Amino acid sequence: MSPEGLSELIDSLVAGEISSDDHDILQQTLKEDSSARDAFRERMDLEVGIQTWASAEVQASSSAAAPTNRSQHTDDGSSSTRTMLLGFAVAATIAMIVGIRLSTLSNDRGQEKSLLDPGRVSDRAQVVGVIRQQDDCEWKIRPVSHAGRLALGKLSLSKGVAELRFDSGTNVTLDAPCEIDVTSPDTAQLLAGNVFVDVTELSNGFTLSTPESRIIDEGTQYGVAVGDESTEVHVFDGRVVWVSATAGMDSQGGFQERIEAGEARSFLRSTPSKFKLVTLGKLQFVRRIEQRIRDSAKGSLIAYDGFENLVGLVRRGRSGLGWSGGWQAGGRGRGPSADVVNSPHDVIFGLDRSGRRHMSLAEGCDVRRMLESPMVLTSGNGVFLSILLSRQRSRTTNEIGSLQVTLEPDLPGRGRRRHQIVSFGVTTDGFPFINSGNIITRTASRIASDRTCLYVLKLAISNRSTFPSLRVYQPDEAVDHVEPSSWTVSGQAGSAEHPPASIRVLTGENSTWHVDELNVGNTWRSVTTQYQVGMN
């Protein structure tokens, strides 16, 4: 945020005229930007000084002489009132800063608690999770929020896709138009529209109500669509129990129907105990907010993984698009596994990662994920891959371990490694490199530790040969809107005999690497769209 914009927000806060949206923006800015916090404290010190001076002037004026007329008395009263209001604004602002600082310290220590303890919430609202939304979302009824967190209450989405991430372990994706009422940390009522419910392995269960039923999960992923005449339930994983409201919403009685994975039902809203079988997937549910990335790439995105629908180990296949399964151990299946952890509350290349997750690979980690189908290597075309990487210095040594990202063919045993299409990454001493045609080419400049950089690989195809190039963006660089004319490093020509079928990530022995936002596509735009701020 510019200094002018920050100053305007602080002016509005001090004047008591700040909107709830601007208040959230100010709070987020202060949380992320230390220079903004310094400027804010300086302004508050000044306001406190003004308040003290004004209070002293009023007291001195009152004791020196009584007011001579009614207008004089009114002016003094207004000045006193303004002073009191300013004092309240300063006090509230200082309280906000303290809350932000405590929240920042909590996140820095790696705690995964909410900003507010659900057991000790304010009287205004009980917070139950966070909300993620597309940039083009429009709300008829905005989500109830408290301290930047999702709270109980009704919300109505009129455009776009949004995701409610409950602290209880359930994710609910809303596809506009949609109206839902969040009633507790593990319950909600769908009033109209479509939602997709993902009850993760950490959840103790989630109950979604409709105007005429309760839908009780048994460890599952399912979609619900509430229309004017009927409600459809599509179960993709696990099972659910449909309980009609015949005997009242709080009763255990009423008609019940168990729906297994791969099945779908349509229930009449006028008679919720009557249903008919429908084809699974007849209604298209937006299962994850990541779908917006594929849509914006206009069909040129092959695969994406933002590590957003995972908890703990990455071997579950619930994350991203374009994969045939989850992440599995590479090589001989030995060594430490990768984990999914909470991302820092930062903004990287215009991407706000607050409330998001990324993959953490411990020392010596080796994981692989298969694509839905091998890539097509056609002469004159290309393959692009982008990924966010951050290396962490070893706790026990002063060394910085390496990381390697490999495009491998679908060959048995060690054939993948021997016939790899291309690999790239960072050497032990910190230099980005490309390994192609059994020749390693590296840059002349190092990458610093603890900095999240964007790596974009281009694999050009010509006459059954591959020609790799790598562009590395530092955090303070703008990502090119179109394919750049110069690259950080270019590798030797390789063979296009075996098409890439999997992505493999390996780390060295002396470091931990953080990996996020993996994109594979056919164009530069398809793997960098999310970083193209302001583009149509």
Side-chain angles (χ1 to χ4, degrees), residues 4 71 171 180 205 299 305 307 327 393 398 412 489 513 527 533:
E4 295 78 11
S71 64
N171 305 321
I180 192 170
D305 197 346
F307 309 100
W327 290 89
R393 189 176 294 274
N398 198 37
V489 59
W513 283 82
V527 301
V533 180

Side-chain angles (χ1 to χ4, degrees), residues 381-402:
N381 294 329
V383 172
F384 292 81
L385 184 151
S386 69
I387 191 170
L388 293 176
L389 299 175
S390 173
R391 57 183 190 158
Q392 313 299 306
R393 189 176 294 274
S394 172
R395 299 178 181 178
T396 57
T397 71
N398 198 37
E399 298 181 8
I400 301 172
S402 62

Side-chain angles (χ1 to χ4, degrees), residues 121-351:
V121 297
S122 72
D123 293 336
R124 289 191 298 170
Q126 178 181 349
V127 294
V128 295
V130 296
I131 185 168
R132 294 177 54 212
Q133 64 182 51
Q134 294 182 178
D135 295 336
D136 62 347
C137 277
E138 294 180 3
W139 297 92
K140 183 177 181 181
I141 302 176
R142 296 190 64 82
V144 179
S145 63
H146 183 65
R149 304 263 292 147
L150 175 68
L152 302 183
K154 185 181 295 185
L155 54 154
S156 179
L157 182 66
S158 55
K159 177 184 177 182
V161 176
E163 185 180 45
L164 312 182
R165 304 183 66 85
F166 289 84
D167 293 335
S168 59
T170 296
N171 305 321
V172 179
T173 302
L174 285 59
D175 187 10
C178 181
E179 185 173 353
I180 192 170
D181 188 6
V182 179
T183 51
S184 82
D186 53 14
T187 63
Q189 184 177 23
L190 178 61
L191 303 174
N194 297 6
V195 298
F196 181 81
V197 182
D198 179 11
V199 185
T200 72
E201 64 269 26
L202 292 187
S203 175
N204 289 328
F206 188 85
T207 298
L208 180 71
S209 299
T210 72
E212 63 282 323
S213 72
R214 286 179 296 124
I215 302 171
I216 304 170
D217 82 274
E218 295 182 358
T220 189
Q221 294 180 332
Y222 64 96
V224 180
V226 174
D228 293 335
E229 298 181 356
S230 63
T231 295
E232 290 194 21
V233 181
H234 295 237
V235 181
F236 300 93
D237 185 28
R239 62 188 63 84
V240 301
V241 178
W242 166 282
V243 182
S244 72
T246 305
M249 294 300 294
D250 296 328
S251 172
Q252 296 299 317
F255 170 81
Q256 295 188 14
E257 170 71 4
R258 184 181 299 273
I259 309 172
E260 302 286 344
E263 298 179 347
R265 303 281 193 276
S266 177
F267 297 86
L268 288 175
R269 294 194 60 183
S270 59
T271 314
S273 59
K274 293 184 178 180
F275 68 88
K276 63 179 180 180
L277 301 180
V278 294
T279 303
L280 179 72
K282 177 182 177 181
L283 290 178
Q284 296 296 313
F285 294 94
V286 177
R287 301 195 189 187
R288 302 177 177 92
I289 199 171
E290 284 82 357
Q291 181 68 43
R292 66 183 173 84
I293 297 175
R294 171 173 282 180
D295 293 341
S296 63
K298 303 185 186 309
S300 57
L301 185 68
I302 297 172
Y304 166 75
D305 197 346
F307 309 100
E308 292 305 305
N309 290 273
L310 299 167
V311 178
L313 298 179
V314 299
R315 291 175 180 171
R316 299 182 65 88
R318 294 184 176 180
S319 177
L321 304 161
W323 310 98
S324 65
W327 290 89
Q328 303 292 334
R332 298 183 179 181
R334 300 175 182 175
S337 177
D339 294 313
V340 171
V341 298
N342 290 338
S343 296
H345 294 277
D346 59 7
V347 178
I348 299 295
F349 302 103
L351 178 68

